[in-house]
Amino acid sequence: MSRTTIHDIAKELNTTAATVSRALNNHPSISSATKEVVRKAAQKLNYRQNRAASSLRSGKTYVIGVIIPSAEISFFGSVIHGIEKVAKSQGYSVLLFQTNESYEDEAQGIQTLLQSNVDGIIASIAKETTRYDHFQEVKNRKIPLILFDRAIDELDVPAVVIDDYKGAYMATEHLIRQGYQRIAHISGPQHIQIFHERLRGYVDALKAYNYKVDGDLITYGKVSIDSGRTCTEALLNLPKRPDAIFAVEDFTALGALQAIKETPWNKPGQIGLVGFANEAFSAYITPGLTTVDQQTALMGQEAANIFMNLRQEEPTLVDLPQKIILDPVLVVRQSSLRKKISRRREE
Amino acid sequence: MSRTTIHDIAKELNTTAATVSRALNNHPSISSATKEVVRKAAQKLNYRQNRAASSLRSGKTYVIGVIIPSAEISFFGSVIHGIEKVAKSQGYSVLLFQTNESYEDEAQGIQTLLQSNVDGIIASIAKETTRYDHFQEVKNRKIPLILFDRAIDELDVPAVVIDDYKGAYMATEHLIRQGYQRIAHISGPQHIQIFHERLRGYVDALKAYNYKVDGDLITYGKVSIDSGRTCTEALLNLPKRPDAIFAVEDFTALGALQAIKETPWNKPGQIGLVGFANEAFSAYITPGLTTVDQQTALMGQEAANIFMNLRQEEPTLVDLPQKIILDPVLVVRQSSLRKKISRRREE
């Protein structure tokens, strides 16, 4: 059986191949209603767009490249779903590149995506990355670049982030309202803006409630399960140990939880714990982890929407970067709830 | 500052640009020692390979495309690490495409990777996929295609899988040896070979130990948390309910665990549970999930190794597909351990 062409679709709909082509390529001159009819006919006739030919004509590949630090962090998987949802609706495909948090890999990823002639790049920056020449190259080539979550203001490109400061403030405030007295924070590398912002939110929440900000209770980890565990062990060995911990993200919190559970003198519910990111596992562990949800699907959709707008405009619009700041959502589970009974006993 | 070229590296090493080029492109005529020296110098001088120019000369892009059903299943993330390890060592980049278990997306992914001129494709097949014309197209174009985990024999291409039959047999045998009497199985869609093989392993283990194979105790789920929960609720409502469940994979097992925990008459440890895949969360949940590890990193490495061999050979070698079958490893945690005390009470 020969492959369905746009001519077959045009015949079916009694219209011209040019109209079908424009509709399938989402051309602004075609109405939404017509696009819908053409897409349905294309689907019915099992038509697969010959992107190679189409891209020869338009100079577009209809591919968006997405750079993520790790495919094993469900946060990124969830943002990708948001990106894909918008991309698919506009006839774009999404190719992913995983940096494993390495600068070298990230630079390689940018090269690989540029070489694949992607129409735009949506990226979240690796932990290790402290210089941005590779991203500058994307800008120089006038290819739309949008950052999400781990963004860098100095790059001066559009970004979708959540309000990390506010999320951390909410998390710390929640622990204060539960009645915890000594609330520690395990932070992350400070050159990454989001971790710095979360530290600020923690400090400001303490101040707002007239809590002393105790430098002993602030540690800097490496954003991993192992690091969360090590930092927590150190915190729990302090002469004046904390009764609650706000961890910079959920993997750190998971390590903290393991260390807390193994502490001989600890009773369940004695040490409060809050994470950040609402990783998939945080609902499944015992106790369930209180954490800050980052509206991941929305983040991905907004990032893809920015790309869809940029591609229609003159590249110079990149000079006016847009920043979308989403609101964090506190998800309260068991890990942060102070047990009233054990509290009375202590008093 | 101008960009480092292969001429700068050649000058630094007092050799020719041709040698440097061949070394960086992993040419067989260059010794490993020389390649190492050149790579170190390239790194020192912060050289970034101009893949576009290099690929114009060689016709290669040095990109491997990897098709995965979901970036949110840690199993695939872990296989990708194995692929990347080998790819990186040979100067290749890896681009990922996520199918979300959809046939349409998978076909689109193949088109996108072909359009990006990848040198080869490594894929695991989506749940929904029941026809393989898109993979056939890759074969027709003589581009190396390697399948992993969810492979299809009829495609007649190289594959790396684990022995699913053996893994399921081991899981079931473990439950039998723990002393469970009525062992149920929640299976998955039978058109996917691995799920069918796991069912076979379960049935044969029961037979080998002279257990009755009870059709009531075999259900077919949709390979998800929700489906695991629903299937388990149905099983636990049977007049003669099971005392252990072997779930076809860990997300199904997670749903089963939730249903088991919510059952009013259940005491912890009364119902044994084993999953399959050793997903990241399986170690963190309570009780820890007994499961079957699939040697994911090794699986990825072997798949990438097959690609590295194929690219050196005549494409006709694809006619002699290689199949690597890895051994599964049973990981015993709390969820399957039968509590002797409660057993005595029952008797």
Side-chain angles (χ1 to χ4, degrees):
Chain A
M1 201 186 82
S2 73
R3 239 172 121 132
T4 306
T5 68
I6 53 168
H7 301 282
D8 300 323
I9 300 170
K11 209 167 151 189
E12 169 91 8
L13 297 175
N14 202 15
T15 181
T16 64
T19 301
V20 171
S21 169
R22 279 197 212 103
L24 290 173
N25 287 305
N26 208 29
H27 195 280
S29 73
I30 306 288
S31 74
S32 301
T34 305
K35 282 176 191 166
E36 188 56 27
V37 169
V38 170
R39 272 189 209 125
K40 284 215 172 123
Q43 205 168 2
K44 184 182 147 206
L45 297 173
N46 198 18
Y47 170 75
R48 215 186 300 151
Q49 206 166 0
N50 185 343
R51 288 284 170 80
S54 157
S55 84
L56 273 179
R57 283 191 302 274
S58 67
K60 285 184 180 175
T61 56
Y62 295 95
V63 178
I64 303 171
V66 177
I67 301 256
I68 52 168
S70 167
E72 286 180 89
I73 300 177
S74 73
F75 165 76
F76 294 111
S78 184
V79 175
I80 292 164
H81 280 145
I83 295 173
E84 286 178 337
K85 192 178 168 185
V86 173
K88 251 175 103 168
S89 74
Q90 303 281 319
Y92 281 77
S93 294
V94 173
L95 283 179
L96 309 173
F97 187 93
Q98 176 177 240
T99 64
N100 299 308
E101 303 282 8
S102 139
Y103 163 79
E104 289 296 331
D105 284 12
E106 190 173 83
Q108 181 63 56
I110 293 286
Q111 285 306 314
T112 303
L113 292 176
L114 291 178
Q115 174 195 323
S116 293
N117 292 317
V118 293
D119 290 345
I121 292 176
I122 300 178
S124 195
I125 294 173
K127 262 194 282 184
E128 270 185 21
T129 299
T130 51
R131 49 190 232 267
Y132 309 106
D133 46 329
H134 49 313
F135 288 116
Q136 200 56 54
E137 189 171 335
V138 180
K139 278 184 76 179
N140 295 347
R141 294 205 193 184
K142 307 278 184 211
I143 290 166
L145 170 65
I146 299 110
L147 300 177
F148 69 94
D149 190 44
R150 302 196 200 152
I152 297 288
D153 284 343
E154 70 179 85
L155 262 173
D156 215 24
V157 295
V160 186
V161 298
I162 69 147
D163 191 333
D164 289 280
Y165 171 87
K166 192 171 173 182
Y169 191 103
M170 287 161 70
T172 310
E173 188 174 49
H174 166 71
L175 289 169
I176 292 169
R177 289 189 176 165
Q178 283 290 313
Y180 295 103
Q181 296 298 319
R182 288 180 59 73
I183 301 165
H185 179 43
I186 305 174
S187 187
Q190 292 300 297
H191 71 269
I192 301 179
Q193 212 159 296
I194 61 170
F195 300 143
H196 184 65
E197 284 298 294
R198 291 177 197 173
L199 175 60
R200 272 206 326 118
Y202 158 81
V203 167
D204 281 5
L206 291 183
K207 285 182 180 166
Y209 284 84
N210 293 315
Y211 272 54
K212 193 185 141 211
V213 178
D214 181 347
D216 286 352
L217 295 183
I218 302 173
T219 61
Y220 298 88
K222 289 173 187 164
V223 193
S224 69
I225 297 174
D226 279 351
S227 165
R229 179 189 275 271
T230 315
C231 290
T232 302
E233 284 164 357
L235 284 169
L236 296 182
N237 278 323
L238 286 175
K240 293 184 72 181
R241 66 189 182 217
D243 61 356
I245 297 173
F246 164 46
V248 73
E249 50 80 51
D250 284 353
F251 287 93
T252 301
L254 182 57
L257 185 65
Q258 291 173 352
I260 289 170
K261 278 181 164 181
E262 288 166 13
T263 306
W265 49 261
N266 175 57
K267 296 180 215 96
Q270 198 166 11
I271 299 172
L273 180 66
V274 179
F276 204 112
N278 201 13
E279 276 293 309
F281 66 77
S282 61
Y284 312 148
I285 58 180
T286 308
L289 182 66
T290 295
T291 184
V292 179
D293 186 82
Q294 305 187 85
Q295 304 211 56
T296 43
L298 184 60
M299 186 178 280
Q301 286 171 37
E302 293 289 5
N305 283 334
I306 295 178
F307 164 76
M308 295 303 163
N309 291 335
L310 282 179
R311 90 204 144 115
Q312 319 252 11
E313 311 284 345
E314 289 301 303
T316 48
L317 200 84
V318 179
D319 295 342
L320 292 166
Q322 197 182 349
K323 189 163 189 172
I324 295 179
I325 301 174
L326 304 175
D327 260 339
V329 179
L330 186 72
V331 180
V332 177
R333 298 196 184 99
Q334 288 295 315
S335 72
S336 62
L337 299 181
R338 194 164 160 87
K339 299 289 178 300
K340 304 294 174 190
I341 295 163
S342 63
R343 191 185 172 188
R344 242 176 270 140
R345 271 190 207 146
E346 275 164 42
E347 280 163 2
Chain B
M1 200 187 81
S2 73
R3 234 171 126 132
T4 306
T5 68
I6 54 166
H7 300 282
D8 300 321
I9 301 170
K11 210 167 150 189
E12 168 91 8
L13 297 175
N14 203 14
T15 182
T16 63
T19 300
V20 171
S21 169
R22 278 198 212 104
L24 289 173
N25 287 305
N26 207 29
H27 195 279
S29 73
I30 307 289
S31 74
S32 301
T34 305
K35 283 177 191 166
E36 188 56 27
V37 170
V38 171
R39 272 188 210 128
K40 284 212 171 126
Q43 204 167 4
K44 185 183 145 203
L45 296 174
N46 198 17
Y47 169 76
R48 213 185 302 151
Q49 204 166 358
N50 184 342
R51 289 284 171 80
S54 156
S55 84
L56 274 180
R57 282 190 303 275
S58 66
K60 285 184 181 178
T61 56
Y62 295 94
V63 178
I64 303 171
V66 177
I67 301 256
I68 53 168
S70 167
E72 286 179 271
I73 299 177
S74 73
F75 165 76
F76 293 111
S78 183
V79 174
I80 292 163
H81 280 145
I83 295 173
E84 286 179 336
K85 191 177 169 188
V86 173
K88 251 175 103 167
S89 74
Q90 303 281 317
Y92 280 77
S93 294
V94 173
L95 283 179
L96 309 173
F97 187 93
Q98 176 178 243
T99 63
N100 300 307
E101 303 282 10
S102 137
Y103 163 79
E104 289 295 333
D105 285 12
E106 189 174 86
Q108 181 64 57
I110 292 287
Q111 286 304 315
T112 304
L113 293 176
L114 291 178
Q115 174 194 324
S116 293
N117 292 316
V118 293
D119 290 346
I121 292 177
I122 300 177
S124 195
I125 295 174
K127 261 193 283 184
E128 270 185 18
T129 300
T130 51
R131 50 189 229 266
Y132 310 105
D133 46 329
H134 49 315
F135 288 116
Q136 198 58 50
E137 189 170 337
V138 180
K139 278 184 76 179
N140 294 347
R141 294 205 195 184
K142 308 279 182 209
I143 288 166
L145 171 65
I146 299 110
L147 300 177
F148 69 94
D149 191 43
R150 301 196 199 151
I152 296 288
D153 284 343
E154 70 179 85
L155 261 172
D156 215 25
V157 295
V160 186
V161 297
I162 69 148
D163 191 333
D164 288 280
Y165 171 86
K166 192 170 172 183
Y169 191 103
M170 288 161 70
T172 311
E173 187 174 50
H174 165 71
L175 288 168
I176 292 169
R177 288 188 176 164
Q178 284 290 314
Y180 295 103
Q181 296 298 317
R182 287 179 60 73
I183 301 165
H185 178 43
I186 306 174
S187 186
Q190 292 301 297
H191 71 271
I192 301 178
Q193 212 160 297
I194 60 171
F195 300 144
H196 184 67
E197 284 298 293
R198 290 177 198 173
L199 175 60
R200 273 208 323 121
Y202 158 81
V203 167
D204 281 4
L206 291 183
K207 285 183 181 165
Y209 283 83
N210 294 314
Y211 274 53
K212 192 185 143 211
V213 178
D214 182 347
D216 287 350
L217 295 183
I218 302 174
T219 61
Y220 298 88
K222 289 172 186 166
V223 192
S224 70
I225 297 174
D226 278 351
S227 164
R229 178 189 275 272
T230 314
C231 290
T232 302
E233 283 164 359
L235 285 169
L236 296 183
N237 277 325
L238 285 175
K240 293 185 72 179
R241 65 189 183 218
D243 60 356
I245 297 172
F246 164 47
V248 72
E249 51 78 51
D250 283 354
F251 286 94
T252 301
L254 182 57
L257 186 64
Q258 291 173 352
I260 289 170
K261 277 182 164 179
E262 288 165 14
T263 305
W265 49 261
N266 176 56
K267 297 180 215 94
Q270 197 168 9
I271 298 172
L273 180 66
V274 179
F276 205 110
N278 201 14
E279 276 294 308
F281 66 77
S282 62
Y284 311 148
I285 58 180
T286 308
L289 182 65
T290 295
T291 184
V292 179
D293 187 81
Q294 305 187 86
Q295 304 210 58
T296 44
L298 183 60
M299 187 179 279
Q301 286 170 39
E302 293 289 6
N305 282 334
I306 294 179
F307 165 76
M308 295 303 163
N309 291 334
L310 282 179
R311 89 204 142 118
Q312 319 253 11
E313 310 284 347
E314 289 300 305
T316 48
L317 201 82
V318 179
D319 295 342
L320 292 167
Q322 196 181 350
K323 187 161 191 173
I324 296 178
I325 301 174
L326 303 175
D327 259 339
V329 178
L330 186 71
V331 179
V332 177
R333 298 195 184 100
Q334 288 296 315
S335 72
S336 62
L337 299 182
R338 194 165 160 86
K339 299 290 180 301
K340 304 293 175 190
I341 296 162
S342 63
R343 191 184 170 189
R344 242 177 270 137
R345 273 193 205 144
E346 277 166 41
E347 281 164 2

